[in-house]
Amino acid sequence: MSNSALATLKVPAHHGNYTQGRSSKITEITLHHVAAVVSAQRCGEEFQRAGREGSAHYGIGNDGEIALYVNECDTAWANSNWEANCRSVSIETSNSATGGDWPVSDAALKSLIRLCADIAKRNKLGKLVKGKNLCWHSMYAATTCPGNYLRSKIDYIAREANKLNGYYDGTLAGNDIPRAADDLVLYIKGLARNGRTGTNMWGYELAIDKNGVALEDPHYSGNTKIPEGGKVLSGHGKAGEWIKANIKKGYHVWFDTSAHVTKGIFRSVSHFNGIRGADELVIYNKGEKSNTNMWGWEVAVNAKGHVTKKRYGGKTPLLEGGFVLSGHGESASWINKNIKVGDTVKIIGGIVRVT
């Protein structure tokens, strides 16, 4: 079990302030703050004091310097919880000011991100996830540690550390923000006044409708028009390559702090029943027949969701408990290309899914 090569300073903790060896495999990183403005050397000196009965594996000074206090193969006493101590590598970070939100400097935060990435990579922790393998002191004890500032940055720390380790799996840098290197950004309002993303041309983007269906394949260009009620997903560098590799026209995309993709054949419904307009996709589930003219493709779907009939023309009879899916123009072409007798068609909210 190795230590981080990022540590440029070693300040060994007193042997009475940690346990030699480990009883558990390393499965997490635990974040702490010093509650003072200190150097990495000064933080480590505290753990050299006999009878301190506390220690951390690493410390980061206000200037960003990283120090090693306890070898990773040993168990530091930082988390106020023995089981958490046994499975974690703990990091103390200096504050840049005392009190309030207990902020840390940009230099210290940058070093913390690099150190988390290094620990995760060497110990094969995989993608860092807040509260799972990237944890913090107050998860295990009644304490304010690591302070409001660092707690507010844990998603960011995980995202940036994951980037350093090559994980580009849909984690969003944010909504409606300038897109930086390797960022994945969701544009809802956009940065330009004309309803466009306002991005440069060096990235992949695609428009997504109000129901989360991708309206196009990813294209390498910027300043994409945001569809009414919809969104544009934009990625630079490796995040752009993730878009290109994982999303195609007709896939379903949904969001929380990440972009999630369901591959398959999806299309949004224009409306239910009523008159079918140009290029519209309409579901008819009331009455005896679809309320359509002859210029479109239609499929009859039974109560189990199976397609029993496909035809070009209108007034298709409804089956008991089933519906007719009817398309004109672009939507008609979509039906003809993607649906055949025997397929299963499901209606999920305002979306049609074909399997």
Side-chain angles (χ1 to χ4, degrees), residues 114-186:
R114 293 172 61 221
L115 182 57
C116 285
D118 179 68
I119 293 168
K121 185 174 184 178
R122 287 184 296 101
N123 290 284
K124 297 179 171 58
L125 301 187
K127 177 190 173 187
L128 290 177
V129 179
K130 177 182 177 181
K132 182 178 179 181
N133 55 4
L134 184 60
C135 303
W136 55 98
H137 191 184
S138 58
M139 287 179 62
Y140 303 116
T143 175
T144 60
C145 182
N148 289 337
Y149 179 82
L150 276 182
R151 270 199 301 270
S152 74
K153 291 289 185 180
I154 293 175
D155 281 322
Y156 171 76
I157 293 166
R159 182 175 72 246
E160 295 303 307
N162 287 333
K163 282 184 183 180
L164 292 176
N165 285 340
Y167 288 98
Y168 292 88
D169 57 354
T171 302
L172 293 170
N175 298 345
D176 291 314
I177 61 173
R179 188 192 64 195
D182 294 319
D183 271 353
L184 188 68
V185 178
L186 185 65

Side-chain angles (χ1 to χ4, degrees), residues 74-92:
D74 294 326
T75 306
W77 300 347
N79 298 338
S80 308
N81 179 291
W82 177 243
E83 291 183 356
N85 286 339
C86 290
R87 63 177 180 258
S88 75
V89 174
S90 49
I91 306 171
E92 291 277 358

Side-chain angles (χ1 to χ4, degrees), residues 7-45:
T8 57
L9 181 68
K10 187 171 183 178
V11 188
H14 187 275
H15 63 82
N17 292 333
Y18 68 93
T19 299
Q20 292 188 353
R22 281 187 178 270
S23 60
S24 299
K25 179 182 177 182
I26 294 171
T27 59
E28 73 179 54
I29 299 166
T30 312
L31 306 182
H32 301 256
H33 75 145
V34 181
V37 182
V38 296
S39 66
Q41 172 74 38
R42 178 65 191 89
C43 178
E45 289 172 354

Side-chain angles (χ1 to χ4, degrees), residues 169-170 184 206 208 212 214 233 242-243 245-248 250-255 258-264 266 353:
D169 57 354
L184 188 68
L206 64 98
I208 300 165
L233 186 63
W242 179 87
I243 291 177
N246 288 282
I247 309 177
K248 292 182 180 180
Y251 285 8
H252 185 235
V253 189
W254 56 278
F255 303 91
S258 299
H260 306 272
V261 181
T262 304
K263 298 180 180 180
F266 296 86
R353 182 178 187 182

Side-chain angles (χ1 to χ4, degrees), residues 220-241:
Y220 193 81
S221 64
N223 206 29
T224 301
K225 177 74 174 176
I226 300 171
E228 185 176 355
K231 308 171 179 67
V232 169
L233 186 63
S234 178
H236 175 274
K238 293 181 179 179
E241 293 298 325

Side-chain angles (χ1 to χ4, degrees), residues 332-349:
S333 298
W334 179 85
I335 290 176
N336 190 35
K337 178 182 177 182
N338 293 289
I339 305 178
K340 62 182 183 298
V341 173
D343 284 347
T344 298
V345 177
K346 293 184 178 179
I347 310 301
I348 308 168

